[in-house]
Amino acid sequence: MLRRLDPRRASGRRDLERSQNSGGRGRSLSSAREVCRSNKSPWVCLTCSSVHCGRYVNGHAKKHYEDAQIPLTNHKKSEKQEKAQHTVCMDCSSYSTYCYRCDDFVINDTKLGLVQKVREHLQNLENSAFTADRHRKRKLLENSSLNSKLLKVNGSTTAICATGLRNLGNTCFMNAILQSLSNIEQFCCYFKALPAVELRNGKTAGRRTYHTRSQGDSNVSLVEEFRKTLCALWQGSQTAFSPESLFYVVWKIMPNFRGYQQQDAHEFMRYLLDHLHLELQGGFNGISRSSILQENSTLSASNKCCINGASTVVTAIFGGILQNEVNCLICGTESRKFDPFLDLSLDIPSQFRNKRSKNQENGPVCSLRDCLRSFTDLEELDETELYMCHKCKKKQKSTKKFWIQKLPKVLCLHLKRFHWTAYLRNKVDTYVEFPLRGLDMKCYLLEPENSGPENCLYDLAAVVVHHGSGVGSGHYTAYATHEGRWFHFNDSTVTLTDEDTVVKAKAYILFYVERQAKAGSDKL
């Protein structure tokens, strides 16, 4: 349950106002750096206006709260000391308010609106600092040819237009997927072309909201927040974008991802695509799904793969069809089943699992073709997976084989790097060689003669990489190509990279885009 803020907890505003004339935010941030040498994610205490690093850095703001709870020795606490418990802090970056006593973000204010006044004061400080910083950067760009944000292309200098995503607390799994999807042009352009939704009206129109897990607001749109995030990522902003509104919606509609624990990027991607698909099926901003699809003739013409009902842009781009063929080994009865898919999960063959790097000499390097062959090869089902034969009227030993009946426009390949043992989930850290262009999928098709040569060739658009040893820990980053250049997305940091660096990555998820025009390339 949300607590009402005590007005005295917002008394830090007066201290902040006084500090503005004597260095203001810079003085407070320097005090934070004195503790842990970090100015990342500063949180200001609304009781005493001291600033410490937030709970997702080194947790000194929480320690400040805990220290304030220690009873004073040799002195009897006064009523004022008893109530001033330094309970409420504000994130100086997002201006959201956190109560340590409630152990949750809060949205209510005092009767005098003191918390909002603190927000406005911090925003004024930030705006003035931003203006000064913008003038400084402009001079730097004019006078320096070695600026890391500039790139020479055909003799001319252009700025890197990619924008990073802030880490909201172990949300690198979400950031890596969002950056990858933002670089799949057809998918991204569709959402950016959608009409905006105004979810708020009246007195709250145009005003920023501050959400909490306990908030009872059901008026949320994943499609709208996803659209706004994609629009923000390629506007050329030098400041990282905070996807907190999208993350709030994720908390609302995907309970598995509530909290700030590390999550599996592949699992998040599947949940995200599934919920986008479902919301688009139900219509968006009062416009029917069919009307939206008609805006893009190239999508509506290829809407043949349906998952959970009518097709949407999700299935039109990522949707493919598998044929699952099972044969009874006793009577020879054959059973065929067609299954739609949005991605393919590939095992790394066991003979390669001890090979950790590309340069190891003990045996051949595992390739993406090895993983695809393992997926589509004929296999005999073991005793735990006996097939119910309708002719034999009982479960029998059988074989199983997958064929790809229809390839998608964007082929998403998930390498199964995590597997369960008796007690824990281990990571397969094997390097898997993958092509940047010319991935030929023709040999895995059920009817390859019905597909043109170009329709089976795919070029790499993005790669998600997991760094670390376990699914519940580590870090996610992404590589993606945009207008012929490769970028490395590491939360709020975006850097230019090259193809040699990309091919050395230990891929977790690969996004391949169907080649549209003829171009010379080396096939896989």
Side-chain angles (χ1 to χ4, degrees), residues 31-148:
S31 66
R33 288 194 293 267
E34 291 174 3
V35 179
C36 66
R37 304 293 177 184
S38 173
N39 59 2
K40 183 179 179 182
S41 183
W43 284 25
V44 59
C45 174
L46 297 188
T47 302
C48 64
S49 78
S50 62
V51 180
H52 300 276
C53 62
R55 61 181 295 174
Y56 311 123
V57 186
N58 294 318
H60 286 112
K62 184 177 181 181
K63 187 177 186 302
H64 172 71
Y65 158 72
E66 291 172 344
D67 290 344
Q69 311 312 305
I70 301 175
L72 298 175
T73 57
N74 302 326
H75 296 281
K76 185 177 180 180
K77 291 194 296 181
S78 66
E79 182 181 353
K80 182 177 180 181
Q81 288 172 322
E82 186 176 355
K83 289 188 177 181
Q85 295 181 333
H86 306 260
T87 305
V88 182
C89 289
M90 181 179 290
D91 188 334
C92 295
S93 300
S94 64
Y95 309 120
S96 52
T97 310
Y98 190 87
C99 176
Y100 279 108
R101 184 185 298 174
C102 302
D103 193 25
D104 201 353
F105 286 95
V106 292
I107 59 170
N108 56 313
D109 203 342
T110 64
K111 291 181 179 180
L112 299 177
L114 295 179
V115 175
Q116 181 60 28
K117 291 179 181 179
V118 174
R119 286 195 184 103
E120 293 170 358
H121 184 77
L122 287 175
Q123 285 175 328
N124 291 335
L125 289 175
E126 185 174 28
N127 290 338
S128 60
F130 176 76
T131 302
D133 188 54
R134 185 171 55 185
H135 289 306
R136 183 184 62 82
K137 283 185 177 180
R138 186 177 297 169
K139 284 188 176 181
L140 206 63
L141 289 174
E142 291 172 354
N143 299 327
S144 175
S145 61
L146 300 177
N147 192 287
S148 63

Side-chain angles (χ1 to χ4, degrees), residues 204-215:
T204 59
R207 189 180 300 170
R208 189 174 185 178
T209 56
Y210 301 88
H211 301 297
T212 173
R213 286 168 289 180
S214 305
Q215 194 173 3

Side-chain angles (χ1 to χ4, degrees), residues 6 19 35 44-45 58 60 96 118 158 203 211 227 243 326 329 425 472 494-496 509 513:
D6 189 325
S19 67
V35 179
V44 59
C45 174
N58 294 318
H60 286 112
S96 52
V118 174
T158 58
K203 293 183 178 180
H211 301 297
R227 182 195 68 81
V326 180
L329 292 177
R425 200 177 186 187
V494 182
T495 55
L496 279 166
I509 305 172
V513 177

